[in-house]
Amino acid sequence: MARTSRSLPLDGIRVVDLVRGPLQSVGKTLADLGAEVLLVEPEGGSVARRTGVVRGDTSLTFAVLNRGKRSVVADPSTSDGRRTLDALLADADLCLMDARPSELGAFADPEWIRSRYSRLAVVSMTDFGRSGPRSGWSATPDVHAAISTALSRSGLPSVDHPLLPPEFLASGAASAQGLFAALVALYQSLRTGTGEYVDFSVSEALMHVLDPAFGIGGTARVGLSVRDLPRGRPDAGHMYPVFRTLDGWVRICVLSPRQWAGMFEWLGRPERFADARYTDTQTRFDAAAELYPSIAALFAGLTKDAAAELGQSFGVPTAALLSVSEVLESEHYGAAGSFGAVRAGDLDLVAPTGVFDLDGAHVGADAPAPELDEARELARETRVRRDTNLSPTGILPFEGLRVLDLGVIVMGGELGRLFADLGAEVIKIESRSFPDGSRLAGDITESFAWGHRNKLSMGLDLTSDDGRVAFTELVRRSDVVLTNFKPGTLQKLGFGYGTLKAINPRVILSESSAFGNGGPWSGRMGYGPLVRASAGLSLLWQYPDIEGSFSDAITIYPDHAVARLNAAAIIALLIRRGHTGLGGSVSTAQVDAILDAMAVEIALESVEPGSVRAAGNRRDGDAPRGIFPAAGDDEWAVIDVQGGDVFAALARVVGHSEWTADPRFATASGRLEAAAEIRAGVEEWTRRLSSSEVASRLQQAGVPAGDMKRTEDLVDDAHLAERNTLGVLQQPQLGGPLPAFASETTFETIPEPRLRPAPSQGEHTRRLAERLLDWGPQQIEAAIVAGALEVGEAETARPERADA
């Protein structure tokens, strides 16, 4: 997709990209946003050109994750190379790097780079960060799944072992967090005139983004705490049930009374379900054994596509479970422009076109991955820096910004929280007529507190004349408006981007929906489980040998990832506003975030149809790889051997040094043929030790391994404690301290985020109307009586916060 001639948010920003590992897509997305991303490589090219998913002489991984970048050869082992890299870093705004000291020499030390280039924002991306007991550990996606707690919730309670999530989820989720951290660091360095250093941990990123133990959850959890989940795999299939059709599977999400009314009508209004108590979500969950067979009978005679269309017509969120091949052939994705052609070597690939619509047009890298050293002339040029006015008003990056938060449920709540944590005044605009699904289980729950901390709440009915007048004035005095409504909803309320821009030319609008603004599915009701089904993820997240064993019901991916993608785009638009004085808009589709995370798999499927399918716990490439039982009840460790040296180290640790001399085990293919024998020997060793001891002993020998952690394990984890990953949130309504994730990453100058309680509904309405609308007491009370403004009981039950 060709880049438009208009100004992209990061035009004029130079990024030096020293990343060789799984997070190469961070630089690619910065290029999508307009940055000049220079991939610095040694003579002969980066190791990334020869690793990942390789077919023939072509790395599909490199081809897909490095689109839009430019290549400059600068070999730090030579004096010319050091001078070139020095000149590039001295002239850059942002540097991305992971740990590759053999390629970079002294330039692999981010602290050395940060000390030498005082204006530079540096993001060091490593598995566990550069401090803490696990800082020297190495990891793979499966090891990260274990340590992040995602593995402990993946699988079915009827199966005696957990299920490894699809591997691409780790890098997809961590890349979204890495992009957000990089834009925060860049914004901070531009506003202060001094650089910023980020010690980014992939492990901690996954704790925040993939399936957070202490994060806002979906409506179907009905206010239940993640900490109350059973020790084994949670029984979550009833929340977003999947049913057989004539040609596959469909999933439904029946959560609100309105959706149940549609389902009841679709069922033919059966008398046995006519009782008003069935409008309650938990009641329906409790009656699943009686209710779901009736729904199953409804779907049994339909094709999956017909069922999805019929469900939507009844107002029942419904989606077919698609394979990756079906995703590539889908009419919707074709019409929406979700995929584009990529030439890589002698291969013609298909890959996602990116996640952002900016200022009404889709943007994405329009160039293939770069040829080696094709941009060598850039190393000799001194660019003209763009003037950017981001005047600091406080120590936190977003102090002085006002954000109007219309977001709902997970993605909507999380996006506003990211800005509130880092200093913005975030005002949650809400109405009892159209309540946030996160309020349905009660005014304040643990989930709501995690997702809405640090915010203010203003009860405002946007369907009333006075409510629209009030919102217009708020827009006039604000910087950002956040929504995640179905496309067209904001326009129907009279506040499309054109209207907002007319009110305040500096305002930035962020929108997100399930399937985006184009294509036949754009008007569909969508939740994360339906998006996962429609993107091909649900079919990949199951036990391969157990039919219908879909295991993604408990997760809330990609909501937390999309929140960070939108936050990154908003920051980019703020940077552009500092140059132009004008705002802009960003819109994303949740499904595009999943497709972007699956970019390599989609490329592989496009050249080898049928090759991307559920892997379960059987990983290809080498052995032993996967989950292994440890001492205790339902205790597991992940061991991920890739390479002969790593296998030899494992053999010595588990007491089978003879394996190192066995010619059968000399190659990866030989080890795969003898995988059952090797596994038996390793299991004999792991069963005698705790999972943490398994991980520790193997990591000391250089073998990627991790113990399967549960939510409760994080609170007392020594590594997280040293890195200040967790904090304590005091939410008065919950009666005690609440563990909460603190900073999204470790910054050099940006302090830990604020941890103030989430607001009750309408808690700050009167104070905000007085301060921001200039309304007097009589006008405020009249608006409350008329229903344009809404206040909550907490507004008079306890004092206003001082910052309201």
Side-chain angles (χ1 to χ4, degrees), residues 322-641:
L322 302 183
S323 67
V324 179
S325 288
E326 289 171 325
V327 167
L328 284 169
E329 297 166 359
S330 163
E331 177 187 358
H332 169 77
Y333 297 120
S338 299
F339 302 116
V342 176
R343 183 69 178 176
D346 58 356
L347 297 176
D348 289 314
L349 312 175
V350 173
T353 54
V355 297
F356 298 123
D357 283 7
L358 294 173
D359 302 326
H362 193 72
V363 299
D366 58 348
E371 296 294 328
L372 184 63
D373 205 26
E374 48 81 34
R376 65 173 66 92
E377 74 282 355
L378 294 178
R380 303 186 184 95
E381 298 176 359
T382 300
R383 67 191 175 96
V384 178
R385 288 183 180 269
R386 190 176 70 178
D387 291 333
T388 301
N389 180 19
L390 300 173
S391 300
T393 59
I395 191 170
L396 289 168
F398 304 128
E399 288 186 62
L401 293 179
R402 180 172 297 123
V403 177
L404 302 181
D405 184 358
L406 299 171
V408 296
I409 316 181
V410 181
M411 183 274 171
E414 186 82 343
L415 177 56
R417 179 193 69 78
L418 295 173
F419 285 92
D421 279 4
L422 293 176
E425 179 187 63
V426 178
I427 303 171
K428 180 169 176 59
I429 305 294
E430 49 187 334
S431 167
R432 290 187 181 85
S433 298
F434 300 94
D436 186 340
S438 296
R439 294 275 199 196
L440 293 180
D443 186 50
I444 296 290
T445 60
E446 287 188 358
S447 174
F448 188 87
W450 284 321
H452 295 274
R453 70 192 191 195
N454 295 319
K455 298 182 185 179
L456 308 174
S457 172
M458 186 173 192
L460 188 61
D461 181 3
L462 295 181
T463 66
S464 70
D465 290 342
D466 283 347
R468 285 190 290 270
V469 169
F471 189 70
T472 298
E473 186 58 30
L474 290 173
V475 170
R476 200 182 316 279
R477 301 185 180 199
S478 298
D479 300 280
V480 180
V481 176
L482 309 177
T483 76
N484 60 323
F485 301 144
K486 190 167 68 173
T489 302
L490 198 61
Q491 287 85 342
K492 290 178 182 178
L493 290 169
F495 292 103
Y497 177 62
T499 301
L500 297 177
K501 183 179 179 181
I503 297 168
N504 179 0
R506 292 175 55 82
V507 79
I508 292 168
L509 172 65
S510 168
E511 298 183 285
S512 184
S513 61
F515 296 103
N517 299 321
W521 297 349
S522 61
R524 280 189 174 184
M525 293 172 287
Y527 293 88
L530 301 187
V531 176
R532 293 193 296 273
S534 301
L537 176 53
S538 296
L539 281 179
L540 296 177
W541 202 335
Q542 62 175 317
Y543 297 92
D545 52 349
I546 304 176
E547 186 181 44
S549 57
F550 311 111
S551 298
D552 65 319
I554 192 65
T555 187
I556 44 181
Y557 182 83
D559 295 71
H560 291 274
V562 177
R564 283 150 179 84
L565 291 170
N566 274 61
I570 292 167
I571 298 169
L573 288 167
L574 287 168
I575 291 171
R576 185 182 71 180
R577 189 181 76 169
H579 174 59
T580 66
L582 298 175
S585 66
V586 56
S587 177
T588 60
Q590 286 209 5
V591 73
D592 284 342
I594 298 179
L595 297 177
D596 209 55
M598 295 171 60
V600 176
E601 285 68 26
I602 288 169
L604 176 60
E605 184 70 20
S606 72
V607 294
E608 295 180 6
S611 61
V612 179
R613 52 190 180 273
N617 293 325
R618 295 190 293 271
R619 303 306 201 195
D620 295 330
D622 211 327
R625 302 184 65 199
I627 62 170
F628 291 80
D633 176 29
D634 196 36
E635 296 290 342
W636 303 88
V638 166
I639 301 173
D640 206 349
V641 167

Side-chain angles (χ1 to χ4, degrees), residues 627-632 635-637 679 682-689 691 694:
I627 62 170
F628 291 80
E635 296 290 342
W636 303 88
R679 170 169 284 275
V682 174
E683 281 194 12
E684 183 181 8
W685 177 76
T686 63
R687 288 182 184 276
R688 301 196 301 264
L689 303 171
S691 59
V694 169

